[in-house]
Amino acid sequence: MKHFITIKDIAKELDISVSTVSRALRDTYDVNKETREKVLEMAIKLKYKPNFNATGLAKGSSHNIAVILPFITNYYFSTVITGIQEVAYQSGYNIVLYVTNDSPEREIDIISNLPITSLDGLLVSIASNSDYFDHFVEVMANEIPIVFFDRVANNLETSKVLQDDYNGAFEGVEHLIENGYKKIAHIAGPDTLTFTQNRLRGYLDALHKHQLSTKEEWIVHSGFSQEDGKKDAELLMSLADRPDSIFAANDRKAIGAILYLKSKGIKVGEEMGVVGFTNDPSSEIISPALTTIAEPAFEIGKKSCELLLKHIERKNFHPQEIVFPGKLIVRESSSKTI
Amino acid sequence: MKHFITIKDIAKELDISVSTVSRALRDTYDVNKETREKVLEMAIKLKYKPNFNATGLAKGSSHNIAVILPFITNYYFSTVITGIQEVAYQSGYNIVLYVTNDSPEREIDIISNLPITSLDGLLVSIASNSDYFDHFVEVMANEIPIVFFDRVANNLETSKVLQDDYNGAFEGVEHLIENGYKKIAHIAGPDTLTFTQNRLRGYLDALHKHQLSTKEEWIVHSGFSQEDGKKDAELLMSLADRPDSIFAANDRKAIGAILYLKSKGIKVGEEMGVVGFTNDPSSEIISPALTTIAEPAFEIGKKSCELLLKHIERKNFHPQEIVFPGKLIVRESSSKTI
């Protein structure tokens, strides 16, 4: 990892105090010309970059952190940001917000043009189809710590904060099985995302444990919107061998599915079980109310920010991976006996 | 206004190109040691602050704008931010996000501690009970422009972007009257907010136009949450002289009211009409679906940011007040003949 020259290095080389170096660079009245020139020469020799983390020179930090994520107009992400904001505010940090619109191109563009000298760290949830991570590596090479949350870049050696997607999915599907459903479909997210893969694994393993099988055509990968959920449900209902229930990768897809099923006169719960993932407020508003796995979005935001602050404060802080358990919330959409 | 030394000043003094100065400061391979030393010396002499507004040096601005608002976990505000973000991104501006949690104290604390030298302007939606605006005046005195959206500080001479709260409310209430409702209640927001006052006026004037009266007890002021809507509906239903319909200040309150009415076996639409304001996605999810006034939240965000950029670019740009019309969206909750 690259070592950035600090004023400490200059002080050490010249055997003078850090404070003198700092004052020489700031050209204060009490530093003589000779010292100033020596400091300047050494700064050039060591390739010291005076613009690095400039605003925070005195404090050693800019107190700005960037939050980069696909969307903010959904409950999960806006709640995560609220958690981040809460910790940042208490600690005197500002949040610089970047929205990728779930586009890998915009993500790369944003990261490549970050005002890196005025940022202390990054909190990132990657775009759905991101498979290129060099731009993150470059940021980290500049000694700017990154903490990933929810949608993480797997291979990077940095802290990550996640919900337990595997166990949440397992529990949700097992709940359907215990309620008498046998032909369980899964409407999933894009298969490039780790959390989508983990929810799929949880689904498959729950079926396996209970000696139930699935069909390739019962596993549908698409986007995360309500509209995607509607279309996925339409596709499943058009099959010759229809499933009797749906485990959805998130609540918006589940709600789209329920709205489609209702529009076709299919009784949700009784005829078709539906389980979601998130515990979006809409899951209580829809009728029948949606059974789901609650994600601790606010806690995930808080913990991500806390970890990032630790990385900022201690250069050698060891990366951690924190996994929050989900919580099954049983409502009406998964009951055969409404 | 303070003149900040830029690399242009260094270039001019040394009679070399701006690009050479920039490369010298960045210590690129193609600048020789002598030039680098000269640039560095001049930078010190002119008290050039390389840390100041680093990204915007060339353009003479920091390219950061602060967005300060009560919440982000609701559909309206998160959609407004998405609109702001869209314009900011296209114009190369960063968004620094501050959430007041609707607390006037936190709002004052945030504004008083803004990193004002690294901000070009502010986009603000004030907290519900803010009645003290000196902190905004101080920001404006520093020649940092402010544009208010949705929840505005009335007396300040600056651009404002709003939806047409008065006419939207008028239209929503007139729609209830035309559908045969005669005893129309209003569950309102805090009476300190201008937009709440405007929606109340629209409600009163629509009743007046149609020679209908209201009662003091049919107008309930509380907060904006679903829970507030539930409680307001419970209060209205406990009256000896019950209303036959509710105009709610926003969709979350309307949805809370509908959930309460449903829980008491009251048929929404047929027995009790309900009209909301916002067109939150939940308004389509609830059954019966909610009639509402759609607010152009994304457009409000875009326009607010566009206006702010004009203020930033032209110091003498005249403040504008932009009012977007709402749009009545008729669904099931306001129909007596479901």
Side-chain angles (χ1 to χ4, degrees):
Chain A
M1 221 170 171
K2 232 165 152 179
H3 170 65
F4 275 90
I5 299 300
T6 70
I7 56 172
K8 282 188 199 164
D9 299 301
I10 300 174
K12 203 175 157 191
E13 287 291 328
L14 295 174
D15 199 18
I16 57 176
S17 75
V18 170
S19 140
T20 304
V21 175
S22 165
R23 279 177 291 124
L25 289 170
R26 281 183 287 124
D27 192 19
T28 60
Y29 69 96
D30 55 352
V31 178
N32 66 39
K33 194 169 172 263
E34 202 183 294
T35 308
R36 200 154 67 231
E37 270 172 11
K38 262 201 283 182
V39 167
L40 214 45
E41 270 166 19
M42 186 53 71
I44 288 171
K45 190 175 157 201
L46 296 178
K47 294 187 194 297
Y48 169 68
K49 296 229 172 80
N51 53 332
F52 185 74
N53 275 348
T55 49
L57 268 180
K59 300 169 243 134
S61 101
S62 70
H63 274 220
N64 292 325
I65 56 183
V67 178
I68 302 162
L69 75 185
F71 301 109
I72 49 168
T73 45
N74 75 45
Y75 170 76
Y76 178 82
F77 283 126
S78 62
T79 307
V80 170
I81 300 176
T82 304
I84 292 170
Q85 165 74 35
E86 202 52 39
V87 172
Y89 174 74
Q90 300 299 345
S91 311
Y93 277 78
N94 303 311
I95 287 177
V96 189
L97 182 71
Y98 298 93
V99 180
T100 63
N101 285 352
D102 212 21
S103 147
E105 292 74 30
R106 191 182 274 205
E107 181 179 286
I108 290 171
D109 182 50
I110 286 170
I111 305 274
S112 311
N113 291 298
L114 279 179
I116 210 159
T117 52
S118 58
L119 289 175
D120 288 345
L122 269 57
L123 289 167
V124 179
S125 192
I126 63 174
S128 294
N129 296 306
S130 284
D131 51 4
Y132 175 82
F133 301 121
D134 284 7
H135 46 303
F136 294 118
V137 174
E138 209 173 301
V139 169
M140 289 163 70
N142 276 290
E143 296 206 358
I144 308 285
I146 305 182
V147 171
F148 288 96
F149 60 92
D150 189 44
R151 306 186 180 187
V152 307
N154 259 333
N155 300 325
L156 300 183
E157 175 84 1
T158 178
S159 288
K160 288 154 195 160
V161 181
L162 304 142
Q163 51 277 333
D164 191 339
D165 296 298
Y166 173 82
N167 281 312
F170 190 97
E171 208 180 337
V173 173
E174 191 160 53
H175 165 76
L176 280 170
I177 297 167
E178 285 165 353
N179 278 263
Y181 302 97
K182 290 190 192 324
K183 298 163 73 174
I184 304 171
H186 180 34
I187 56 177
D191 56 10
T192 47
L193 283 170
T194 308
F195 84 83
T196 295
Q197 292 158 8
N198 289 339
R199 290 180 193 180
L200 175 59
R201 277 201 305 118
Y203 158 80
L204 291 171
D205 284 2
L207 293 182
H208 184 73
K209 177 184 167 192
H210 292 272
Q211 284 140 1
L212 290 174
S213 58
T214 185
K215 299 186 157 209
E216 207 175 308
E217 60 189 19
W218 290 353
I219 300 172
V220 186
H221 286 280
S222 71
F224 288 116
S225 73
Q226 194 171 306
E227 205 45 50
D228 291 318
K230 270 189 192 177
K231 282 182 195 149
D232 295 351
E234 188 174 2
L235 186 69
L236 290 172
M237 291 301 106
S238 73
L239 297 175
D241 189 10
R242 284 184 178 188
D244 64 8
S245 55
I246 297 172
F247 167 59
N250 71 358
D251 284 355
R252 271 167 297 134
K253 296 195 75 159
I255 285 166
I258 290 178
L259 291 175
Y260 176 77
L261 296 170
K262 282 171 78 173
S263 77
K264 295 296 163 188
I266 297 166
K267 285 191 181 124
V268 174
E270 212 167 319
E271 292 176 62
M272 276 289 288
V274 181
V275 168
F277 208 119
T278 303
N279 200 29
D280 189 291
S282 302
S283 61
E284 274 194 286
I285 290 170
I286 196 157
S287 173
L290 177 64
T291 295
T292 189
I293 314 294
E295 296 181 288
F298 186 75
E299 290 304 316
I300 285 172
K302 277 182 70 175
K303 178 55 81 178
S304 303
C305 194
E306 283 166 9
L307 277 179
L308 183 64
L309 296 187
K310 283 186 181 162
H311 279 289
I312 290 169
E313 283 155 19
R314 287 167 44 196
K315 287 288 169 211
N316 56 351
F317 181 75
H318 200 73
Q320 293 189 358
E321 187 164 322
I322 309 267
V323 180
F324 281 93
K327 188 174 180 301
L328 177 69
I329 296 181
V330 178
R331 298 200 183 99
E332 302 156 354
S333 68
S334 58
S335 166
K336 284 205 159 205
T337 53
I338 285 176
Chain B
M1 212 179 166
K2 235 167 154 180
H3 170 65
F4 280 93
I5 300 300
T6 71
I7 56 173
K8 281 189 201 164
D9 300 302
I10 300 174
K12 203 173 157 194
E13 286 291 330
L14 295 174
D15 199 18
I16 58 177
S17 75
V18 170
S19 142
T20 304
V21 174
S22 165
R23 280 178 290 124
L25 289 171
R26 281 184 287 122
D27 192 18
T28 60
Y29 69 95
D30 54 354
V31 178
N32 67 38
K33 190 172 175 260
E34 202 183 295
T35 309
R36 203 149 69 228
E37 276 176 13
K38 262 201 283 182
V39 167
L40 219 42
E41 269 167 18
M42 186 53 72
I44 288 173
K45 189 177 160 201
L46 296 178
K47 294 188 195 295
Y48 167 67
K49 295 234 174 79
N51 53 328
F52 183 71
N53 286 343
T55 52
L57 271 181
K59 298 160 225 134
S61 95
S62 72
H63 275 218
N64 292 325
I65 55 182
V67 178
I68 301 162
L69 76 186
F71 300 109
I72 49 168
T73 45
N74 75 45
Y75 170 77
Y76 178 81
F77 282 125
S78 61
T79 308
V80 170
I81 298 176
T82 304
I84 292 170
Q85 165 73 36
E86 203 51 37
V87 172
Y89 173 74
Q90 300 298 344
S91 310
Y93 277 77
N94 303 310
I95 287 177
V96 188
L97 182 71
Y98 298 92
V99 180
T100 64
N101 285 351
D102 211 22
S103 147
E105 291 75 27
R106 191 183 275 205
E107 182 179 285
I108 290 171
D109 182 50
I110 287 171
I111 305 274
S112 310
N113 291 298
L114 280 178
I116 212 155
T117 53
S118 59
L119 289 175
D120 287 346
L122 269 56
L123 289 166
V124 180
S125 192
I126 62 173
S128 295
N129 295 306
S130 284
D131 51 3
Y132 176 82
F133 301 121
D134 284 7
H135 46 304
F136 294 118
V137 174
E138 210 173 300
V139 170
M140 290 164 70
N142 276 289
E143 297 208 359
I144 307 285
I146 305 181
V147 172
F148 288 95
F149 61 92
D150 189 46
R151 306 187 180 185
V152 308
N154 260 332
N155 300 326
L156 300 184
E157 176 84 0
T158 178
S159 287
K160 288 156 196 159
V161 181
L162 303 143
Q163 51 277 332
D164 192 339
D165 295 299
Y166 173 82
N167 281 312
F170 190 98
E171 208 181 333
V173 173
E174 191 160 56
H175 165 77
L176 280 170
I177 297 167
E178 284 163 355
N179 278 264
Y181 301 98
K182 291 189 191 323
K183 298 163 72 173
I184 304 172
H186 180 33
I187 57 178
D191 57 8
T192 47
L193 283 170
T194 308
F195 84 82
T196 295
Q197 292 158 7
N198 289 339
R199 290 179 192 180
L200 174 60
R201 276 202 304 117
Y203 158 81
L204 292 171
D205 284 2
L207 294 181
H208 184 75
K209 178 185 165 191
H210 292 272
Q211 284 140 4
L212 289 174
S213 57
T214 184
K215 298 187 157 203
E216 206 175 310
E217 59 189 18
W218 289 353
I219 300 172
V220 185
H221 286 280
S222 70
F224 288 117
S225 73
Q226 194 171 305
E227 203 47 48
D228 291 319
K230 271 189 191 177
K231 282 183 196 149
D232 294 352
E234 187 175 1
L235 186 69
L236 290 172
M237 290 302 106
S238 73
L239 297 175
D241 189 8
R242 284 183 178 189
D244 65 8
S245 55
I246 297 172
F247 167 59
N250 71 357
D251 283 355
R252 270 168 297 135
K253 296 194 75 158
I255 284 166
I258 290 177
L259 291 175
Y260 176 78
L261 296 170
K262 282 171 79 175
S263 76
K264 296 293 163 191
I266 297 166
K267 285 190 182 124
V268 173
E270 211 167 318
E271 292 176 62
M272 276 288 291
V274 180
V275 169
F277 209 118
T278 305
N279 200 28
D280 187 293
S282 302
S283 61
E284 272 194 287
I285 290 171
I286 197 159
S287 172
L290 177 65
T291 294
T292 188
I293 313 295
E295 296 180 287
F298 186 76
E299 290 304 316
I300 285 172
K302 277 181 70 176
K303 179 54 83 180
S304 303
C305 194
E306 283 165 11
L307 277 178
L308 183 64
L309 296 187
K310 283 186 182 163
H311 280 288
I312 290 169
E313 282 154 21
R314 288 167 44 196
K315 288 290 168 210
N316 56 351
F317 181 76
H318 200 74
Q320 291 188 1
E321 187 164 322
I322 310 267
V323 180
F324 281 93
K327 189 174 179 299
L328 177 68
I329 295 181
V330 178
R331 298 202 183 98
E332 302 156 355
S333 68
S334 58
S335 166
K336 284 205 161 206
T337 54
I338 285 178

